[in-house]
Amino acid sequence: MLLSFLLRHGRVFTGCKNWSRAHARWLAAQRFDHPAQQLVFQDQVDAITDAQLAELVHGAGGGGLSGAGGVSFIVAVTFVSEAGDVRRFDNPRQLMAFLGLVPSERSTGDAVKPGGLTLATIAAPAAS
């Protein structure tokens, strides 16, 4: 649809291959005089970008995140960009350890009461 829109307006990419880095740079440089045309063009570019992000999130094992209650698409994209492919973790405990989430506990003598998750802070390396 985007390529058809561009063709209707006499915009033809003369590089080697569509959807390459060069093509992305060419798309980013496109400007239309009429605000409505610019709006439609940008909307189509954004739709392609959103579809690519959704494909990346799903491909990294995070596809179920955006379907979970309270998890937006942006949160799922951010999570996958930070954690990478979640399928590399053998179990949820490994993922939680990677994220720095550790269970809390209260203990006195022989009594141990497990608590909720706490966020373990990791000290940043000292600047040299």
Side-chain angles (χ1 to χ4, degrees), residues 42-124:
Q42 193 58 53
D43 186 54
Q44 290 179 9
V45 169
D46 292 346
I48 290 168
T49 303
D50 289 347
Q52 289 172 330
L53 282 173
E55 186 176 315
L56 288 172
V57 167
H58 184 72
L65 286 174
S66 57
V71 178
S72 70
F73 177 69
I74 295 299
V75 171
V77 170
T78 303
F79 174 79
V80 169
S81 71
E82 290 294 326
D85 191 339
V86 296
R87 294 172 295 195
R88 67 191 171 114
F89 300 103
D90 293 333
N91 55 55
R93 186 174 295 276
Q94 286 181 348
L95 174 60
M96 300 306 263
F98 173 81
L99 296 173
L101 297 172
V102 295
S104 65
E105 72 174 41
R106 292 178 181 227
S107 57
T108 54
D110 292 335
V112 176
K113 290 185 177 184
L117 291 176
T118 62
L119 181 60
T121 56
I122 301 170

Side-chain angles (χ1 to χ4, degrees), residues 15-61:
C16 297
K17 185 177 173 186
N18 285 341
W19 313 117
S20 62
R21 286 186 180 162
H23 187 246
R25 284 190 300 272
W26 179 80
L27 284 172
Q30 297 304 302
R31 299 288 178 261
F32 292 88
D33 292 333
H34 197 280
Q37 292 172 334
Q38 186 67 37
L39 186 66
V40 168
F41 168 73
Q42 193 58 53
D43 186 54
Q44 290 179 9
V45 169
D46 292 346
I48 290 168
T49 303
D50 289 347
Q52 289 172 330
L53 282 173
E55 186 176 315
L56 288 172
V57 167
H58 184 72

